Amino acid sequence: MSDTPAAEQQGQLAHWKPRQTVELITGSVGDRLRHNAAHIGQRPALFHLIDEDSDTLDSLSYAELLAQAENCARWLAARCKPGERIAVWSRNALESVLLQYGCALSGNIITHFNTAWTDAELGHALELAQPSLLFAGEGHSGQDLLARARGLASCEVRPLADILNIADTRSEQPLPQVSENDPCLIQFTSGTTGKAKGSTLSHRAVLLGGWLRPHCEGASEVDVWLNAVPFHHIGGSIAVVVGALGVGGSFVVLPKYDRDQLIRLMPAVGATRMGGVPTMWLDILASGELSPSARLSSVSLGGASVSPELARAIHSRLGARCGIAYGQSEFAIITAVLPGDPIEIACDTVGRPLPHIEMKIIDAASGETLGVNETGEICVRGPTCMDGYWANPAATAETIDAEGFLHTGDIGSLDTEGYCRIKGRLREVIIRGGENIYPVEVENALQSHPDVALSAVVAIPHPRLGQDVAAAVKLRPGSSTTAEALEAHTRQLVASYKVPKTWRFVDSMPVTASGKIRKIELEALFTQE
């Protein structure tokens, strides 16, 4: 294969051809668990807290995990046919992991419900997925979700704690053959612009979605994931749980994000790989108790734009590389910044498409492929793509075209080396007097100011220009920065027409149940005012 970057091989078109530089693993998620149990059966597959308020941990080896998951699978197979949906509504728990692997072995489709959902949001998910069983555990703050689940669900609802007894009870119920092409997971989207949709991911997409990035980063059996991302997020159910499975490493089941506990556990478990969303790491880096860990090699961030200042702070404070990645509920993993990339790449891009992933940048109106460094919609094709939206063929047809490219709805560009830069969501582009403004660029400029903790840039109506730029800003504690100071700071970093003209200082941002900023609510707030 030529060493010439794939984007260059296409001339000056922003079209990155898939690199066949690694051999993909095959089989179902259950096949991989059986492989690990046979080859590294005594190595720890996971660690879990014995008590939430204690740092004391217990572990399960791969052999033990397989045995308990198979017991769960036999119990499910006696009650549900392959392809039936099994829902879990709980914060992270050992039982959720056992259930996820039990479903993988029984041919059932797992779907994790977000614990922050309202009754209306849960009702929508139940109506869409039509689960045969719903297991309910505890919410984010430890509240019991069982009664709410029973009041809303028409299917059988059981306590998630039942899984521990099920996992200890062996039966002779035969298990079905499960193919890598069978559906494995329904991953609900964040619902930032409407009702959440259910991305249906095959065993192949789930397995490779977890394996591809850590494999390319050189992860192995010695790696330990310490990450509090919830399992209802693709970063938890795939990137952490299946990421560790793919390379034979281990991970820690954390019921919730607790900054101080996370910092204490770093040396205790010998964490090598950590992650989360940027707001978590702004909080972690603010701790006076944080010190470099001898083993920590990578901090993987996603779910929101990552400021250059945050990437550099992780490197300087912890001695770890900042592993930026890009994926979606619809496409488990797309790009990543890899160990050989300089830190500037992590500060400015989301890396290159991973092997076997194809990417092109198109004009959303015409569908034509644009040139390198031109900004348009990101379209991707590859083995980690969803099969479609569950029970929503119309939305699937709108998102996956006839050539198999998924239209991400994200705006970005590709350079000649294949590095991708994200500019924002397609619907978020601000068109001010004919000029396109991409909110992420302005947000990064704002967040380079030392007093800014978080910012969100949105469009507001303008009688002459059509749209203008508005910014909601959350300041760091104790700061008293003014809008005039932020405007002057931003004007030094972006063109004047991109500088926000309307400002609002907020104590908190409206967010979805997945923690993403609901810009549609901010737009409404500014418009009402």
Side-chain angles (χ1 to χ4, degrees), residues 295-365:
R295 296 197 66 204
L296 186 63
S297 61
S298 175
V299 173
S300 302
L301 299 180
S305 60
V306 178
S307 69
E309 288 68 30
L310 178 56
R312 292 189 178 99
I314 287 170
H315 180 72
S316 62
R317 290 281 304 279
L318 294 173
R321 56 178 292 273
C322 188
I324 312 299
Y326 167 49
Q328 291 188 330
S329 298
E330 295 89 343
F331 208 110
I333 187 65
I334 301 172
T335 70
V337 174
L338 297 179
D341 293 322
I343 190 172
E344 290 75 20
I345 293 297
C347 295
D348 190 40
T349 81
V350 291
R352 288 174 173 157
L354 288 164
H356 301 271
I357 306 296
E358 184 174 2
M359 177 184 287
K360 62 180 179 178
I361 309 297
I362 68 164
D363 181 292

Side-chain angles (χ1 to χ4, degrees), residues 158-217:
R158 301 179 66 111
L160 182 61
D162 285 358
I163 291 294
L164 293 181
N165 290 330
I166 293 169
D168 283 338
T169 305
R170 182 173 174 81
S171 78
E172 299 304 319
Q173 175 70 31
L175 294 177
Q177 288 290 113
V178 180
S179 162
E180 66 176 14
N181 296 316
D182 289 337
C184 177
L185 168 71
I186 294 177
Q187 176 65 49
F188 278 89
T189 62
S190 60
T192 53
T193 58
K195 288 186 176 180
K197 297 186 286 290
S199 305
T200 308
L201 295 156
S202 68
H203 279 258
R204 184 171 189 246
V206 169
L207 185 61
L208 294 179
W211 172 83
L212 193 54
R213 180 188 178 190
H215 172 78
C216 291
E217 291 179 340

